[in-house]
Amino acid sequence: MANTNLPRRIIKETQRLLSEPAPGISASPSEDNMRYFNVMILGPTQSPFEGGVFKLELFLPEEYPMAAPKVRFLTKIYHPNIDKLGRICLDILKDKWSPALQIRTVLLSIQALLSAPNPDDPLSDNIAKHWKTNEAEAVETAKEWTRLYATGA
Amino acid sequence: MGQSSSRSRRRDDYRQTYPQHAPLPPPPVQPPLTPPYNPSSRPNFSAPYYNPPPVPAGPYYYAYQPQPSSSYNGLMRFFESWVNNSFPSYYRPNQGNGWLNSAAPPPPAAMPPYTSFSAASSSSIVVAPPPYVEHQKAKTIKNDVNLHKDMIRLEADVLNPEEYLVSFVYDAVVDGSVTIYYFAKEGANCSFSSIEEDIYKPRSYPFEKGTARKFCQPSGDGIDLGFFDLESLSKPANGEVFPLVIYAKACGPTQTDGQSVQSAATHLQITLAIIEKNNTGAFEVKVVKQILWFDGERYELQEIFGLADSSEPVDDADDDIGKECVICLTETRNTAVFPCRHLCMCSDCAKSLRVQSNKCPICRQPVEKLMEINVNLTSSDK
């Protein structure tokens, strides 16, 4: 059902994601639902998530691109802007969404969020507190979680 | 900006602010809000219940340039009618300042509340009525003479080192004349007069048609800027007296008396500038605005962002990124958003955007109007 009348925009975006993937990011649509993407983001170098492969799911709602895609981490991650359910606190996924943004730009933004955690706008209060009171220790925990949950998968 | 005030205007205000030259539109079907009025009996005042009157034809224009200049760095110019600069927003309800279904609540301060209507509509219906946004088609006019606004210089006169000569680069499809004014203000029908004529009498010179031609004032005609302090050179006095005005007139015999002679057929481009000293001590000309006078109407030139690429031949390949509508990624973009001037959508997506959001997809500024600008013209079409 979801594959009938798929807007050309989604087809084009999918083609471009597959033909010219962004560095460190892969996204491929599910076979039975072209609006559902399996995403993998490599942990950025120089970040506590380096070396990790993070799985996400991305869904394009019916209103897309007038509404933002729904994105969620499937891999456990220790990050002040990502909660234990994998939900992401990122303005462009909420009130700052614009139809000029695309799947690619959303995923690049999430990748950038991994490089630049923002504990001042937390989704996970405990992790944010940890980050602000003892950043070195929080980074160690994030590295540990990366090793435990995001490698060898 | 005046946006927030215009946004909070009630829709029945438009008759007061409507530009004078335009014929008054027929009175709206909806009677003015008077008691006893029950908002809940009419939950939605947007289209189709209330259609603002049609926009008078042709208030907006764009110019395509027969020989686009590379120095514009990919931006084409835009003429905005002076009288329409303050075009009111007809109807701007308290729409949730967000894209459809945006998860977060809208920031409260962003949109002033639309008093009685919004209170009624938000309590009685689920979907906030979309803002009415004008959607117009642009009309093309041709710019007979154009100064490259980033190529205006003040050069020291070699023979009179105290004096500075104006030089600039221009394109013109016909011959014409140019008049240099210092400290001039605008009068009726785009005429200009200097308020410092005793220091510098405006001088006119003929110019020849051509592309990327350079004009330079003859030696001896320069101005000694030492008469003026930097403060007065660097900003328009009272917002209306501009330190430097270059008045380029296309076609017709040259009038050299320094006083502008107007006729309806005259095509003018007037460049209003300030003069600043840069950190090397040299004078720099900075253009504040450019005005076009065309067939008895006055326009202001503005640049449209995102227009240049689409004037090039469109190849059918998939690599047309940069020309395609940012929403459907399919059609060629041909609709610009105002006041931010981002040309980013095709007309179909612009139409659907209108009813779903009031923000520019590029910069998220509130949309006040949309204008379709078709750039498929080639020089053979003129």
Side-chain angles (χ1 to χ4, degrees):
Chain A
M1 168 213 118
N3 291 350
T4 57
N5 291 328
L6 200 65
R8 281 200 61 188
R9 155 147 179 167
I10 296 179
I11 296 169
K12 280 206 162 186
E13 276 202 70
T14 306
Q15 286 168 350
R16 287 178 193 170
L17 280 168
L18 296 174
S19 61
E20 315 148 40
I25 293 173
S26 81
S28 51
S30 157
E31 276 178 20
D32 52 339
N33 185 348
M34 294 289 284
R35 288 177 175 270
Y36 183 91
F37 288 74
N38 293 299
V39 178
M40 289 210 281
I41 297 181
L42 301 184
T45 54
Q46 317 269 314
S47 81
F49 313 101
E50 183 172 359
V53 179
F54 295 87
K55 287 188 185 171
L56 298 89
E57 60 179 7
L58 181 149
F59 179 71
L60 303 175
E62 189 61 38
E63 300 84 7
Y64 182 83
M66 299 311 291
K70 309 239 179 287
V71 199
R72 190 170 77 93
F73 271 84
L74 298 174
T75 304
K76 243 169 101 82
I77 183 168
Y78 197 76
H79 189 291
N81 308 105
I82 301 163
D83 74 2
K84 62 184 177 194
L85 297 175
R87 294 177 299 190
I88 304 163
C89 180
L90 187 60
D91 58 358
I92 60 160
L93 294 176
K94 295 170 182 161
D95 56 313
K96 290 290 192 294
W97 171 253
S98 154
L101 296 166
Q102 302 182 11
I103 299 171
R104 174 191 303 272
T105 45
V106 164
L107 296 179
L108 284 168
S109 297
I110 293 171
Q111 194 184 40
L113 188 66
L114 296 186
S115 288
N118 179 9
D120 292 323
D121 183 22
L123 192 57
S124 177
D125 284 334
N126 288 340
I127 300 177
K129 202 171 158 192
H130 195 191
W131 222 275
K132 287 175 93 163
T133 52
N134 190 343
E135 184 172 339
E137 193 185 286
V139 165
E140 277 314 305
T141 310
K143 283 182 180 167
E144 179 70 7
W145 281 39
T146 303
R147 199 177 55 77
L148 283 173
Y149 304 114
T151 50
Chain B
M1 295 239 248
Q3 286 168 355
S4 57
S5 63
S6 69
R7 247 182 280 130
S8 60
R9 246 176 238 148
R10 307 253 302 252
R11 73 191 157 79
D12 47 341
D13 279 348
Y14 71 85
R15 271 188 272 182
Q16 285 125 46
T17 50
Y18 209 80
Q20 283 187 336
H21 81 298
L24 275 182
V29 182
Q30 178 70 28
L33 183 56
T34 47
Y37 178 74
N38 179 8
S40 61
S41 67
R42 258 186 187 274
N44 189 341
F45 291 92
S46 64
Y49 294 98
Y50 171 68
N51 281 312
V55 173
Y60 280 85
Y61 303 84
Y62 78 99
Y64 81 95
Q65 294 175 308
Q67 297 107 358
S69 146
S70 59
S71 68
Y72 282 97
N73 202 19
L75 294 173
M76 283 184 75
R77 322 295 296 290
F78 197 84
F79 304 100
E80 182 159 2
S81 168
W82 171 254
V83 290
N84 282 284
N85 269 345
S86 56
F87 211 90
S89 305
Y90 283 99
Y91 177 61
R92 220 164 258 287
N94 182 21
Q95 206 215 11
N97 180 32
W99 302 102
L100 186 71
N101 292 347
S102 74
M111 292 283 276
Y114 184 72
T115 58
S116 56
F117 284 101
S118 65
S121 57
S122 60
S123 63
S124 57
I125 57 168
V126 180
V127 183
Y132 177 76
V133 173
E134 295 167 62
H135 192 126
Q136 322 174 338
K137 287 202 178 182
K139 178 183 153 189
T140 309
I141 58 174
K142 198 169 73 179
N143 198 2
D144 284 337
V145 54
N146 181 45
L147 262 67
H148 295 200
K149 68 177 187 180
D150 48 357
M151 298 290 283
I152 303 171
R153 306 273 183 269
L154 277 168
E155 294 169 359
D157 185 345
V158 183
L159 302 178
N160 305 285
E162 296 295 303
E163 296 185 353
Y164 286 86
L165 303 169
V166 172
S167 75
F168 55 82
V169 175
Y170 69 94
D171 301 317
V173 291
V174 292
D175 295 344
S177 69
V178 61
T179 307
I180 313 280
Y181 296 84
Y182 286 93
F183 293 96
K185 67 176 182 185
E186 186 176 352
N189 293 337
C190 281
S191 61
F192 275 78
S193 56
S194 172
I195 62 164
E196 302 279 5
E197 280 213 22
D198 44 336
I199 295 178
Y200 189 89
K201 192 164 162 49
R203 285 161 214 198
S204 295
Y205 311 90
F207 65 76
E208 289 178 5
K209 65 183 176 186
T211 306
R213 301 281 294 249
K214 183 165 182 184
F215 169 87
C216 190
Q217 271 187 301
S219 177
D221 276 7
I223 185 170
D224 183 353
L225 290 169
F227 278 113
F228 309 101
D229 61 74
L230 289 177
E231 172 81 8
S232 64
L233 287 168
S234 64
K235 63 181 184 209
N238 303 323
E240 57 170 20
V241 179
F242 286 85
L244 174 64
V245 172
I246 304 175
Y247 183 96
K249 180 158 69 169
C251 79
T254 309
Q255 308 283 342
T256 50
D257 60 358
Q259 306 298 314
S260 53
V261 175
Q262 288 297 326
S263 74
T266 306
H267 297 176
L268 304 171
Q269 190 202 42
I270 302 145
T271 303
L272 311 176
I274 57 167
I275 299 166
E276 287 180 342
K277 226 172 196 171
N278 67 15
N279 41 22
T280 64
F283 286 110
E284 274 183 0
V285 176
K286 288 198 178 146
V287 172
V288 178
K289 64 176 155 187
Q290 288 185 298
I291 297 166
L292 194 78
W293 178 261
F294 188 89
D295 286 349
E297 288 219 55
R298 183 191 189 278
Y299 308 93
E300 263 183 54
L301 280 79
Q302 296 188 335
E303 287 165 332
I304 294 284
F305 305 103
L307 189 55
D309 286 344
S310 41
S311 65
E312 289 162 9
V314 178
D315 45 37
D316 292 329
D318 194 52
D319 57 351
D320 49 357
I321 304 169
K323 295 166 191 156
E324 67 199 9
C325 166
V326 299
I327 294 184
C328 63
L329 302 182
T330 303
E331 301 299 321
T332 303
R333 52 174 75 160
N334 68 354
T335 302
V337 179
F338 284 84
C340 59
R341 313 200 301 269
H342 286 116
L343 183 112
C344 57
M345 287 177 284
C346 67
S347 53
D348 283 348
C349 286
K351 280 170 192 141
S352 62
L353 176 96
R354 252 172 75 165
V355 297
Q356 295 180 75
S357 170
N358 63 339
K359 293 194 294 187
C360 170
I362 302 296
C363 67
R364 306 188 180 95
Q365 266 197 66
V367 178
E368 290 192 357
K369 54 199 161 226
L370 296 163
M371 180 147 33
E372 197 172 319
I373 300 173
N374 284 301
V375 289
N376 305 326
L377 297 168
T378 61
S379 12
S380 60
D381 291 331
K382 63 187 170 186

